[in-house]
Amino acid sequence: MDARWIVGIAVALLVLWAGVLLLLWLTRPRGVATRDLLRVLPDVLRLGRSIVADRSVPLDVRLALIGALVWIVSPIDLIPEFIPVIGPLDDVVVAILVLRYARRRLGIGELRRRWSGTDDGFRMVSRLLGSGG
């Protein structure tokens, strides 16, 4: 394979990824602080574990959540973790996209039923996922 093809594919993937980052940045909810997101992270992890463990949940949703977890813990990233501020950004984007997918497939009511955190935490996560909560 010609090296120009490989470079072209890599550039196209980076442009596509930059577009996804820009789209999420433009559609992010206003007023959600990073510290607030970090505060609900354990509850989000419990939510994901609950969904993955439930065999009545569609397989594609469970596989998407498992895939997101593999992506997040993988040492191979589009943006290396050691780069300050933007290093973990690709992991955050993948997590949000997969949780939005789970919300579309399961419904916000099903996510709420499984939520073990506070009502305020769920409202914030709902806003982040693009739903009223």
Side-chain angles (χ1 to χ4, degrees):
M1 181 179 259
D2 188 6
R4 290 181 298 194
W5 274 97
I6 295 171
V7 170
I9 291 170
V11 168
L13 287 173
L14 288 174
V15 168
L16 178 64
W17 193 250
V20 169
L21 290 176
L22 179 63
L23 180 64
L24 286 173
W25 176 257
L26 293 174
T27 61
R28 76 192 186 285
R30 306 290 184 224
V32 176
T34 303
R35 72 176 180 276
D36 294 332
L37 289 174
L38 292 174
R39 204 173 294 142
V40 298
L41 185 59
D43 297 325
V44 171
L45 292 173
R46 281 190 287 276
L47 174 67
R49 184 182 64 208
S50 170
I51 293 169
V52 169
D54 185 350
R55 294 205 180 265
S56 69
V57 170
L59 182 61
D60 60 322
V61 174
R62 293 185 294 149
L63 289 176
L65 286 165
I66 291 168
L69 179 62
V70 169
W71 175 278
I72 290 167
V73 300
S74 170
I76 300 170
D77 281 333
L78 289 176
I79 305 170
E81 300 299 326
F82 63 82
I83 298 175
V85 180
I86 66 167
L89 192 58
D90 61 334
D91 295 337
V92 171
V93 168
V94 168
I96 290 172
L97 289 175
V98 169
L99 287 171
R100 285 182 177 183
Y101 177 73
R103 185 217 56 222
R104 280 193 313 273
R105 292 282 284 132
L106 301 176
I108 195 69
E110 186 63 24
L111 296 182
R112 179 64 183 119
R113 184 179 71 81
R114 296 169 182 279
W115 184 256
S116 62
T118 65
D119 290 339
D120 286 340
F122 188 75
R123 275 191 293 277
M124 183 184 54
V125 169
S126 295
R127 283 183 48 218
L128 187 65
L129 298 181
S131 57

